[in-house]
């Protein structure tokens, strides 16, 4: 559990840093407001966390689905244009002394 939480937080902050910061601020405000009996701070914190969570869910729904087939780039011409490649010939000459 200890290794999973930091990894999850790092990946969340890398993907959506602004939303993650707003979520953190909202949760911290709600915790402070709840412990100090400051209901206005608690309400503002819950509102901030709720709005950022709703915005994140809305962005997830707006993402385009990935294409089914990956795009393939061919760097060599197809075999129909050139039937065979030229063969390399190696001359068997004796080296000079």
């Amino acid at each position: 559990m200890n290794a999973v939480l930091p990894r999850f937080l790092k990946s969340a902050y890398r993907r959506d840093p602004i939303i993650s910061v707003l979520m953190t601020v909202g949760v911290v405000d709600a915790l402070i407001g709840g412990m100090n009996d400051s209901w206005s701070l608690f309400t503002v914190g819950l509102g901030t966390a709720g709005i950022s969570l709703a915005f994140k869910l809305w962005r997830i729904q707006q993402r385009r689905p990935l294409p089914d087939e990956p795009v393939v780039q061919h760097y060599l011409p197809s075999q129909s244009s050139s039937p065979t490649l030229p063969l390399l010939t190696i001359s068997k000459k004796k080296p000079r002394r």
Side-chain angles (χ1 to χ4, degrees):
M1 172 77 182
N2 291 337
V4 174
L5 185 62
R7 191 176 299 159
F8 172 73
L9 290 175
K10 284 181 185 179
S11 67
Y13 273 93
R14 282 188 192 133
R15 278 187 247 139
D16 298 321
I18 295 173
I19 294 172
S20 298
V21 167
L22 287 174
M23 183 84 67
T24 304
V25 168
V27 169
V28 168
D29 283 349
L31 286 174
I32 292 172
M35 289 183 186
N36 291 339
D37 290 331
S38 174
W39 297 109
S40 59
L41 185 60
F42 180 74
T43 306
V44 168
L46 281 182
T48 304
I51 289 172
S52 61
L53 181 65
F55 186 69
K56 183 173 181 150
L57 293 175
W58 178 73
R59 281 194 47 172
I60 288 173
Q61 290 178 351
Q62 295 297 321
R63 288 185 185 156
R64 295 180 184 164
L66 296 175
D68 294 336
E69 297 179 16
V71 177
V72 178
Q73 292 181 346
H74 297 285
Y75 293 104
L76 295 175
S78 64
Q79 288 198 356
S80 62
S81 63
S82 63
T84 59
L85 294 175
L87 296 174
L88 293 176
T89 57
I90 301 172
S91 61
K92 296 184 178 182
K93 294 181 180 178
K94 293 183 180 179
R96 294 185 181 180
R97 292 186 184 185

